[in-house]
Amino acid sequence: MKTLKPFTKLFSGARKPKQEPLELKPVELPKPVELLNEHSKHFLTERYSQKETSALNYATVRDFCDSADNMPQVCYLNGDLKNVQRPWTIKAVLGAVPLGGKLLEIGGGIPLVAGMLAELGYDVTLVDPYEGMGNGPTEYEAYAQQFPNVNLVRSYFNADLVGYAESSFDCIYSVSVLEHIPQQGIKEVFDGIHKFLKPGGFSIHCIDLVVQGNGTQYDEDIFREIFYRQKRLQEFECLRSDTDKQCDETLMTLKDDLETFYLSATGHHLWRCGQSYDDFPFRKVASLQTCIPYIAVI
């Protein structure tokens, strides 16, 4: 498959230290990015459309290799978890939502996934405050120029998001975002999903999870809270004990599976963003992935 090289002037697939200045010349506005050509659009649509995604799973080396072969525009080879998460999200959306559907990305930052989905034919809105929290991006104006087909909204996502009617979107998704929200704020995000997702639409998320090292218990607690809220979209009266059991079974399988995709040492180095190793030691990190249809309670 002939593909275009990934655009790298303003983004490289890894977050940079906040102290690095944005290299933009005032008289040279960024040009729109084209990630796909007509052949690749047809190829990806044919390969991944209408393929069912399980309610809860985890990133694998097999899926990463498939993405490296077929989506190099969003699958870089720098060892970051996003190299498996970004393409998986695109595959999950293609499998669940017909082309032309309305999508909302929560906290997307660099609009790589949103931009690629827009080029494939979706109507995409990305909601992000672009305030640099956690070494996240602040380059709102540059991204607006680079991805003119994506509607960028500078805001946090919750039920108070203005400008959108209830049941506005066919899919609401996120890539490595929800685990960074304090546990008490997860409910607010899912209140927004309940409000703005259409019945029959899909809630799709990738979640970083420390399985060994600093933060393991905290991440597992966050993961259980996210999946409980996620599962309630499908079954409002589901029991937390049942979703906790599903989470525990998935974690057990993940830890014993040779195919599990983990953050690499190179990826960890990128995540350090200049911090000392003693302050940011290596952790074993995997990606949990969930895709749930919204069944509204009548």
Side-chain angles (χ1 to χ4, degrees), residues 213-231:
N214 292 350
T216 298
Q217 188 60 56
Y218 177 83
D219 274 20
E220 289 186 3
D221 291 344
I222 286 287
F223 164 53
R224 291 185 179 93
E225 178 69 17
I226 291 169
F227 188 65
Y228 169 66
R229 298 292 173 183
Q230 174 84 328
K231 191 66 176 176

Side-chain angles (χ1 to χ4, degrees), residues 78-79 262-272 277 282-283:
N78 60 5
Y262 291 104
L263 176 73
S264 73
T266 302
H268 170 78
H269 177 69
L270 294 172
W271 280 22
R272 283 199 305 132
Y277 187 84
F282 186 73
R283 298 164 297 165

